[in-house]
């Protein structure tokens, strides 16, 4: 027998009862009461609990207390259930519009005191800004109505049900409902009242709604007002004090556009806002408006007549303790951090954020793609059979969602594109949403990536298209096929601006290849940049059985189905720590480009720099330019770089300073563009862009000394600071050390474990099989060694080893030569693979094990690339210099342990113990000038691989130093293209040459 409540939770209608039409989220002086705070709470396992709790006299003293806003699964340490993470999967049977009877249902109650003066109100409205997923409302025992649309605002007219004095509000929230089928976004399922609840006294003669459309052109501004108010509310007055504007409209018919002289435009770089009030005798509404015109002209997306390049992030609302509960202080710092990392755009994936976030975006300056609360991704499991996007029964639900999205946020200058949703297939309901938006707001274009053929959207948008495909999209005259398009449809899509709504999947260590996408936006104006997936990891703070804190991901809460750590795919870790990939992003998209050049008559390699201002609208008057010179990473000279003010899109040639060149050290010139004054998001001196130029005098590496007097040896000897037994190193610089051991394996990154993306342009991928699986299949994580020979001369030792894996006929020959050279111990390692290796390698390196003994190695000083980790396709943020870090700061604590900490282009490394140097390693370039990199860690790649969380890494009494001749790139195959062939490491012979000295 079906549950008596199944009809309610399975109803596709978006709302019922006294639900009011959508309107703007306004800053009004009308009386209001916040209902945030403690509510009485009861959780039932099904939707069929008795509804007597809504009665005024119901005794709720035995209930718990829960804060509003919050998610009940994040309260009570599991007392009310646990979070569930899925990406594509539905955590319930795919049986639309029905959901299981096992449907956790939260009942909320609270008393509110309504002032006597509110009896004069025309309407009393109860507003919910966010409830997941379906809720019903009672006031003083009377059912008012209900609604779904978790990230949308809903207002109910409760005028007839409230009274002065004590009132009882009761709310029932169902975790699952028909709405859950269209809210299958890649995030945690977190039920509850998670945004603000507000009671509002709407005054007689008030302003019901306001929309101030703005435009800008040739220094002039325009306001097209839309005032929603009863005729009796007039006259209505608009005041814009800064421009001396006061316009009084006596009747609704008098409300006409205003043309304004000499206004400053709004842009993401110069977010100029003007304070405006719209008032009646009964109410005043405050807005902050910016003057800007959004248009598509041909295949260009323009704001104020200039092409926009989006250097964006997909941004979920997520916090490790609060979930999607908004915290303004944290959000402001989050957006300020974005600005500091040269992020200029936000896609609100995949729902409208808390409305205050858009106030902050207006103020700080972002281009915003505002996305509707819609995703049906789980229907991909059924081949899109039953997808609500093309089912007329869901049409009103779809239209209600886009109406509530647009109406709430229509006044925001930062919102330049409306997006219908995400990964919901395609169909007539999406087309209807688009038609509604076009009719309601002709001033902003419509986006939806799933409209691959361009039937109802204004921009061409894709996810994770490869670099070659993206280039073909941008190339005039290209006939290359486009996804799901006929030739005619492809031709149509190439007439539109192109946007990568998702690219560069930032999961774990990665992505690589950001600079390749950025370069395309400069070569092909149709390409307007894109949005990295995504800004922040979604880890939930919890503790291991032993009490160790960590950030949980899918499966850590015992979910029946889940998508693992796919929710950990941000450029910011869960605890707000920027990853190296965010620094890489900042460097790749920096708004100032430095191009070094030489006047042919000067005789110098470079005597000037071309400085290009890549910004949309801001000149360089807010920046100061400086230079510094370092010799082997030590400061030698610095100064101010005299630079003219460069307009947006302009360039200037600037002479470089005379650089003191050392003949005994590398000489590096660094240029910085930094903020000249403090801003709302960064301090004075914050560096936006940087570049380096190598001005070193040529210094050839010492030649390898030939030896011909090799003879067989037992291999027990001492060479300077190196001691050997049986040909194997036992001590080095007075410390126990073993090695070098060939290391071809790295703890697989999330991209190494990925199987997504087209592989035609990849070097060695196999469709549907991860590179990490291939590496394990070839035994790279379990290499064994057979010593082939040991020889020596009076001042050298040579060993030859054959390295291979069980059940494999493939091998690598490793020749290691230790020698005394110029009073130092030198190690030269030559690796030569057999033929037949069918896949890329993760690395070619040698590992040294350094047991703790009395003074563990716990830090490193080095001269090379730094300060953060770098890899072949993620090296733009690295600079050549001298750096020092304790061991714990050399690695990134990704949510799932994986390869981390590699520093490229090493010149010199000093291992330290308690801030004291114990050993110095100098890396010599190979015959092609290539330098090795290094990784210093307390765990081997194999140990790291076996841990699913950082707390699972074993206690260690050894520090491991790996010197890599080469590393494989990072790519983006967790959800995107694999490593570009240029950065793929094919098996090959390599040389590592080091000199070691004691300190």
């Amino acid at each position: 027998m079906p549950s008596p409540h199944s009809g309610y939770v399975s109803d596709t209608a978006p709302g019922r009862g006294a639900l009011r039409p959508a309107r703007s989220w306004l800053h009004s002086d009308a009386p209001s009461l916040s209902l945030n705070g403690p509510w009485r709470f009861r959780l039932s396992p099904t939707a069929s609990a008795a509804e007597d709790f809504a009665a005024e006299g119901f005794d709720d003293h035995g209930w718990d207390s829960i804060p509003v806003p919050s998610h009940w699964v994040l309260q009570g340490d599991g007392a009310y259930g646990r979070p569930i993470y899925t990406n594509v999967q539905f955590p319930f049977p795919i049986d639309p519009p029905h959901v299981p009877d096992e449907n956790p249902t939260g009942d909320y109650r609270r008393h509110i005191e309504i002032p006597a003066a509110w009896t004069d109100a025309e309407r009393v409205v109860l507003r919910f800004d966010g409830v997941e997923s379906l809720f019903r409302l009672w006031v003083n025992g009377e059912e008012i109505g209900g609604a779904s649309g978790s990230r949308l605002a809903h207002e109910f007219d409760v005028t007839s049900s409230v009274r002065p004095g004590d009132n009882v509000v009761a709310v029932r929230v169902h975790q699952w409902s028909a709405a859950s089928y269209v809210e299958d976004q890649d995030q945690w399922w977190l039920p509850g009242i998670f945004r603000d609840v507000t009671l509002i006294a709407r005054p007689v003669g008030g302003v019901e709604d306001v929309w101030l459309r703005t435009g800008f052109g040739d220094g002039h501004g325009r306001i097209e007002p839309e005032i929603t108010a009863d005729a009796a509310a007039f006259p209505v007055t608009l005041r814009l004090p800064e421009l001396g504007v006061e316009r009084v409209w006596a009747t609704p018919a008098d409300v006409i556009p205003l043309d304004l002289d000499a206004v400053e435009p709004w842009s993401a770089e110069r977010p100029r806002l003007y304070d405006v009030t719209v008032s009646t005798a009964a109410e005043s509404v405050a807005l902050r408006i910016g003057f800007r015109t959004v248009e598509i002209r041909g295949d260009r997306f323009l704001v104020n007549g200039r092409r926009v390049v989006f250097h964006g992030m997909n941004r979920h609302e997520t916090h490790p303790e609060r979930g999607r509960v908004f915290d303004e202080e944290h959000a402001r710092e989050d957006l300020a951090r974005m600005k500091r990392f040269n992020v200029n755009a936000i896609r609100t994936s995949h729902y409208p954020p808390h409305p205050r976030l858009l106030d902050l975006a207006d103020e700080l300056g972002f281009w915003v793609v505002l996305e509707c609360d819609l995703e049906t991704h789980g229907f991909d499991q059924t081949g899109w059979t039953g997808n609500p996007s093309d089912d007329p029964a869901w049409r009103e639900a779809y239209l209600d969602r886009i109406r509530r999205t647009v109406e709430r946020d229509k006044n925001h200058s930062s919102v330049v594109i409306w997006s219908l949703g995400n990964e919901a297939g395609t169909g007539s309901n999406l087309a209807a949403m688009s038609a509604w938006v076009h009719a309601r707001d002709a001033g902003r274009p419509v986006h939806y990536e799933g409209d691959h053929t361009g039937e109802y959207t204004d921009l061409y948008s894709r996810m994770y298209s490869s670099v070659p495909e993206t280039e073909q999209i941008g190339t005039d005259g290209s006939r290359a096929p486009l996804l799901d398009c006929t030739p005619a449809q492809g031709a149509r899509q190439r007439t539109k601006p192109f946007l990568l709504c998702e690219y560069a999947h930032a999961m774990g260590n990665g992505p690589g290849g950001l600079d390749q996408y950025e370069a395309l936006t400069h070569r092909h104006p149709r390409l307007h940049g894109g949005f990295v997936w995504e800004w922040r990891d979604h880890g939930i703070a919890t503790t291991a059985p032993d009490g160790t804190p960590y950030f949980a991901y899918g499966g850590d809460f015992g979910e029946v189905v889940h998508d693992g750590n796919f929710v950990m795919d941000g450029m910011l870790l869960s605890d707000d720590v920027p990853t190296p990939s965010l620094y890489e992003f900042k460097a790749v998209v920096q708004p100032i480009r430095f191009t070094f050049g030489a006047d042919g008559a000067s005789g110098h390699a470079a005597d000037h720099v071309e400085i290009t201002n890549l910004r949309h609208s801001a000149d360089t008057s807010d920046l100061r330019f400086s230079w510094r010179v370092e010799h082997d990473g030590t400061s030698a000279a610095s100064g101010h770089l005299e630079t003219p003010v460069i307009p947006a899109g302009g360039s200037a040639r600037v002479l470089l300073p005379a650089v003191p060149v050392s003949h005994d050290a590398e000489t590096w010139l660094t240029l910085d563009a930094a903020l000249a004054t403090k801003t709302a998001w960064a301090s004075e001196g914050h560096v936006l862009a940087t570049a380096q130029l190598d001005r070193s005098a040529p210094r050839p590496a010492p030649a390898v000394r030939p030896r011909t007097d090799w003879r067989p040896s037992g291999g027990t000897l001492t060479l300077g600071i190196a001691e050997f037994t049986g040909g194997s190193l036992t001590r080095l610089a007075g410390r126990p050390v073993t090695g070098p051991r060939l290391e071809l394996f790295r703890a697989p990154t999330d991209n190494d474990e990925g199987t997504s993306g087209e592989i035609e342009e990849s070097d060695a991928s196999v469709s549907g099989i991860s590179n990490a699986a291939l590496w394990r299949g070839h035994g790279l994580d379990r290499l064994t060694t057979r010593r082939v020979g040991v020889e020596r001369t009076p001042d050298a030792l040579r060993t030859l080893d054959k390295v291979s894996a069980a059940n494999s006929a493939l091998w690598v020959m490793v020749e290691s030569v230790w020698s005394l050279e110029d009073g130092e111990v030198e190690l030269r390692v030559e690796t030569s693979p057999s033929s037949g290796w069918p896949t890329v390698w993760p690395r070619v390196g040698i590992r040294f094990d350094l047991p703790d003994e009395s003074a563990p190695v716990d830090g490193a000083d080095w001269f090379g690339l730094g300060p953060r980790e770098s890899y072949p396709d993620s090296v733009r943020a690295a600079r050549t210099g001298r750096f020092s870090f304790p061991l714990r700061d050399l690695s990134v604590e990704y949510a799932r342990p994986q390869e981390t900490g590699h520093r490229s282009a090493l010149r010199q490394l000093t291992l330290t113990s308690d801030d004291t140097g114990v050993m110095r390693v100098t890396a010599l370039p190979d015959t092609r000038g290539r330098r090795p990199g290094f990784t210093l860690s307390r765990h081997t790649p194999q140990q790291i691989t076996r841990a699913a969380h950082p707390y699972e890494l074993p206690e260690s009494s050894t520090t491991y130093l790996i010197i890599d001749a080469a590393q494989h790139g990072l790519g983006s195959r967790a959800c995107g293209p694999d490593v570009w062939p240029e950065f793929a490491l094919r098996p090959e012979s390599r040389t590592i040459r080091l000199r070691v000295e004691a300190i």
Side-chain angles (χ1 to χ4, degrees):
M1 182 174 182
S3 163
H5 301 276
S6 61
Y8 194 97
V9 296
S10 299
D11 190 351
T12 62
R16 62 175 69 183
L19 184 62
R20 305 181 83 234
R23 66 188 183 110
S24 300
W25 192 83
L26 296 170
H27 297 273
S28 166
D29 65 358
S32 65
L33 291 173
S34 172
L35 272 61
N36 293 353
W39 287 55
R40 308 299 290 177
F41 180 74
R42 175 187 68 183
L43 185 67
S44 302
T46 71
S48 60
E51 295 173 3
D52 56 350
F53 81 100
E56 289 186 68
F58 181 84
D59 183 3
D60 61 15
H61 288 92
W63 287 21
D64 297 333
S65 177
I66 198 170
V68 168
S70 71
H71 305 279
W72 70 61
V73 292
L74 297 183
Q75 301 294 315
D77 194 25
Y80 312 117
R82 289 294 193 180
I84 298 170
Y85 168 61
T86 62
N87 170 27
V88 177
Q89 304 178 84
F90 285 118
F92 45 78
I94 304 175
D95 182 25
H98 307 290
V99 294
D101 293 339
E102 293 83 5
N103 186 357
T105 296
D107 292 332
Y108 296 77
R109 281 175 54 92
R110 71 161 291 168
H111 290 257
I112 57 173
E113 191 76 17
I114 295 182
W118 280 31
T119 56
D120 296 333
E122 180 180 58
R123 289 281 179 265
V124 178
V125 173
L126 187 53
R127 180 184 183 97
F128 293 83
D129 282 309
V131 183
E132 183 175 328
S133 75
L134 169 72
F135 70 103
R136 300 166 65 188
L137 168 67
W138 292 261
V139 175
N140 293 327
E142 181 181 349
E143 184 165 6
I144 305 299
S148 59
S150 298
R151 270 67 70 175
L152 304 169
H154 299 90
E155 290 185 335
F156 295 88
D157 187 338
V158 298
T159 310
S160 62
S161 302
V162 296
R163 60 187 177 235
D166 183 62
N167 293 258
V168 176
V169 177
V171 182
R172 170 160 287 183
V173 181
H174 302 288
Q175 175 159 7
W176 309 123
S177 69
S180 302
Y181 285 102
V182 295
E183 293 177 1
D184 187 31
Q185 293 98 339
D186 178 9
Q187 60 180 351
W188 295 96
W189 299 87
L190 299 173
I193 304 174
F194 69 92
R195 286 188 185 156
D196 306 304
V197 182
T198 310
L199 194 67
I200 306 165
R202 299 291 309 129
V204 176
V207 181
E208 177 66 16
D209 203 0
V210 176
W211 186 5
L212 300 182
R213 298 177 175 90
T214 65
F216 177 83
D218 298 324
H220 303 285
R222 183 175 176 86
I223 299 176
E224 296 182 10
E226 178 182 293
I227 310 297
T228 304
D230 291 339
F234 284 78
V236 173
T237 302
L238 181 146
R239 293 184 178 88
L240 204 167
E242 199 168 350
L243 297 179
V245 174
E246 182 169 322
R247 184 65 55 89
V248 179
W249 297 304
T251 69
D254 296 331
V255 180
I256 59 174
L258 289 73
D259 290 309
L260 306 170
D261 293 329
V263 304
E264 297 177 48
W266 184 96
S267 73
E269 292 164 0
R270 291 187 169 168
R272 181 66 161 91
L273 294 172
Y274 292 86
D275 291 320
V276 180
T277 58
V278 176
S279 305
T280 69
E283 182 181 14
S284 182
V285 172
L287 302 94
R288 305 188 76 193
I289 65 170
F291 292 96
R292 54 102 182 103
T293 294
V294 178
E295 63 180 320
I296 290 177
R297 195 181 302 163
D299 61 359
R300 306 291 195 274
F301 176 86
L302 310 174
V303 175
N304 297 336
R306 291 186 60 85
R307 171 176 172 258
V308 173
V309 177
F310 295 90
H311 295 133
M313 293 285 164
N314 282 277
R315 182 189 181 274
H316 268 291
E317 290 193 312
T318 183
H319 186 274
E321 295 172 342
R322 297 187 299 271
R324 284 187 284 279
V325 175
F326 183 76
D327 178 271
E328 184 165 333
E329 181 180 355
H330 185 262
R332 178 180 288 275
E333 172 54 27
D334 215 33
L335 297 196
R337 185 184 293 110
M338 283 187 177
K339 296 284 285 190
R340 293 195 294 271
F341 280 93
N342 293 334
V343 176
N344 71 1
I346 297 169
R347 177 180 177 226
T348 67
S349 54
H350 298 293
Y351 43 83
H354 189 283
R356 271 295 287 161
L357 186 94
L358 297 173
D359 287 343
L360 299 177
D362 292 343
E363 174 191 332
L364 295 173
F366 290 92
W367 311 116
V368 174
V369 177
L370 187 65
E371 197 145 87
C372 185
D373 187 9
L374 176 66
E375 181 167 340
T376 68
H377 206 170
F379 286 94
D380 183 56
Q381 308 277 5
T382 68
W384 297 101
T385 299
N387 182 21
S389 296
D390 204 32
D391 183 344
W394 294 81
R395 180 184 176 92
E396 182 54 33
Y398 275 55
L399 287 172
D400 181 75
R401 285 171 182 266
I402 195 63
R403 283 194 293 262
R404 293 188 180 279
T405 297
V406 171
E407 296 295 354
R408 194 196 74 170
D409 298 324
K410 55 185 178 281
N411 282 295
H412 289 284
S413 304
S414 57
V415 177
V416 293
I417 295 172
W418 299 115
S419 180
L420 304 180
N422 183 69
E423 292 175 322
T426 189
S428 62
N429 293 336
L430 287 156
M433 294 169 74
S434 179
W436 183 90
V437 176
H438 283 125
R440 181 68 176 122
D441 182 12
R444 297 177 176 102
V446 173
H447 165 274
Y448 176 65
E449 184 271 342
D451 181 27
H452 294 157
T453 58
E455 296 176 8
Y456 48 85
T457 49
D458 303 310
L459 304 104
Y460 183 31
S461 179
R462 288 283 305 282
M463 298 178 179
Y464 308 108
S465 57
S466 67
V467 170
E469 184 183 9
T470 304
E471 184 167 29
Q472 288 305 309
I473 292 170
T475 300
D476 290 340
S478 173
R479 301 279 294 174
L482 300 183
L483 180 69
D484 295 337
C485 287
T486 67
Q489 291 167 336
R492 176 172 62 190
Q493 290 295 64
R494 285 191 172 92
T495 67
K496 301 176 182 179
F498 177 74
L499 195 61
L500 277 164
C501 68
E502 294 180 21
Y503 82 112
H505 193 261
M507 186 174 179
N509 189 351
L514 286 169
D515 51 349
Q516 294 176 280
Y517 286 98
E518 176 67 12
L520 293 180
T521 68
H522 299 291
R523 292 203 298 269
H524 303 287
R526 179 181 304 132
L527 308 180
H528 288 73
F531 296 82
V532 169
W533 187 267
E534 63 172 302
W535 171 240
R536 172 188 290 279
D537 280 2
H538 296 225
I540 291 180
T542 188
T543 56
D546 65 356
T548 303
Y550 74 102
F551 294 107
Y553 50 74
D556 287 338
F557 296 110
E559 300 100 309
V560 175
V561 296
H562 63 85
D563 286 302
N565 70 319
F566 208 70
V567 76
M568 303 298 221
D569 45 14
M571 288 199 157
L572 206 65
L573 300 180
S574 299
D575 56 358
D576 296 347
V577 173
T579 65
S581 67
L582 186 53
Y583 289 91
E584 180 76 1
F585 178 89
K586 176 186 177 181
V588 166
V589 307
Q590 62 186 30
I592 303 297
R593 181 169 61 203
F594 300 95
T595 306
F596 295 103
D599 181 342
S602 69
H604 294 294
D607 62 2
H608 70 266
V609 61
E610 190 87 8
I611 302 177
T612 302
N613 180 6
L614 299 173
R615 297 199 276 189
H616 172 268
S617 47
D619 62 28
T620 60
S621 59
D622 62 333
L623 305 179
R624 62 171 178 244
F625 294 83
S626 61
W627 62 270
R628 66 182 182 276
V629 173
E630 294 169 323
H631 293 155
D632 276 359
T634 301
S635 179
S638 62
H640 176 70
L641 192 67
E642 292 295 337
T643 305
V645 174
I646 305 171
S651 297
R653 175 181 285 198
V654 177
L655 289 177
L656 292 172
V659 173
V661 176
S662 169
H663 295 282
D664 300 318
E666 291 187 35
T667 300
W668 285 85
L669 171 67
T670 303
L671 303 183
D672 288 329
L675 292 176
T677 58
K678 180 182 178 182
T679 70
W681 46 270
S683 59
E684 176 186 349
H686 169 75
V687 175
L688 271 71
T690 192
Q692 277 195 314
L693 177 65
D694 187 357
R695 300 300 298 267
S696 304
R699 287 192 303 160
V704 175
R705 180 154 58 101
R707 289 180 172 83
T708 59
D709 52 346
W710 295 105
R711 53 186 174 81
S713 169
T716 298
L717 71 158
T718 298
L719 292 174
I721 60 170
E723 301 175 29
F724 303 88
T725 301
S728 297
L729 180 68
T730 55
R731 297 186 70 82
L732 189 61
R735 300 180 57 87
V737 178
T738 60
R741 162 199 168 123
L742 179 69
E743 189 63 84
L744 301 180
F745 187 66
R746 71 184 185 193
T749 67
D750 291 308
N751 290 311
D752 294 337
E753 295 281 12
T755 60
S756 76
E758 300 297 324
I759 62 170
E760 285 79 4
E761 70 278 356
S762 182
D763 200 64
S765 295
V766 176
S767 181
I769 302 177
S770 71
N771 286 325
L774 297 175
W775 298 340
R776 288 188 288 262
H778 291 295
L780 299 190
D781 58 337
R782 48 184 176 82
L783 298 176
T784 60
T785 300
R786 178 173 66 84
R787 176 132 306 159
V788 176
V790 180
E791 297 177 310
R792 66 163 298 178
T793 71
D795 60 356
L797 173 70
R798 180 168 68 182
T799 60
L800 186 63
D801 297 317
K802 187 175 184 179
V803 180
S804 54
N807 199 38
S808 174
L810 303 171
W811 43 266
V812 180
M813 296 302 296
V814 181
E815 181 183 59
S816 302
V817 177
W818 293 88
S819 62
L820 291 175
E821 310 287 348
D822 305 321
E824 296 179 317
V825 171
E826 179 173 307
L827 168 64
R828 190 179 81 254
V829 178
E830 305 276 1
T831 62
S832 305
S834 66
S835 61
W837 286 94
T839 185
V840 293
W841 282 348
R843 69 178 352 134
V844 180
I846 53 174
R847 191 183 92 196
F848 296 91
D849 299 1
L850 296 87
D852 285 351
E853 243 192 15
S854 59
V857 171
D858 58 9
D861 300 338
W862 78 96
F863 176 44
L865 287 185
R868 283 160 290 278
E869 64 185 33
S870 56
Y871 293 83
D873 54 355
S874 183
V875 75
R876 291 281 291 275
R879 61 181 175 85
T880 302
R882 192 168 291 278
F883 310 99
S884 179
F885 282 113
L887 183 62
R888 65 180 178 275
D889 293 339
L890 289 171
S891 301
V892 178
E893 193 169 282
Y894 295 110
R896 184 187 70 80
Q898 56 196 273
E899 163 66 28
T900 177
H902 179 261
R903 267 73 177 178
S904 308
L906 177 67
R907 279 80 163 169
Q908 191 176 83
L909 168 68
T910 299
L911 302 178
T912 61
S913 179
D914 197 21
D915 295 326
T916 300
V918 296
M919 189 185 309
R920 182 174 295 120
V921 180
T922 300
L924 303 177
D926 67 12
T927 55
R928 292 171 53 185
R930 298 174 296 188
R931 296 182 182 273
F934 82 95
T935 303
L936 193 67
S937 173
R938 291 294 282 180
H939 297 96
T940 67
Q942 293 76 12
Q943 290 172 329
I944 295 171
T945 301
R946 288 191 287 270
H949 303 87
Y951 74 85
E952 295 173 302
L953 290 167
E955 291 292 324
S956 175
S957 60
T958 303
T959 299
Y960 301 95
L961 171 65
I962 301 179
I963 304 292
D964 286 315
Q967 275 249 4
H968 185 57
L970 298 175
S972 190
R973 203 182 176 199
C975 188
D978 199 4
V979 176
W980 189 246
E982 179 183 350
F983 308 112
L985 178 57
R986 292 295 309 188
E988 61 179 15
S989 298
R990 295 298 295 251
T991 300
I992 295 174
R993 192 176 172 202
L994 310 172
R995 288 193 173 181
V996 186
E997 57 184 308
I999 298 177

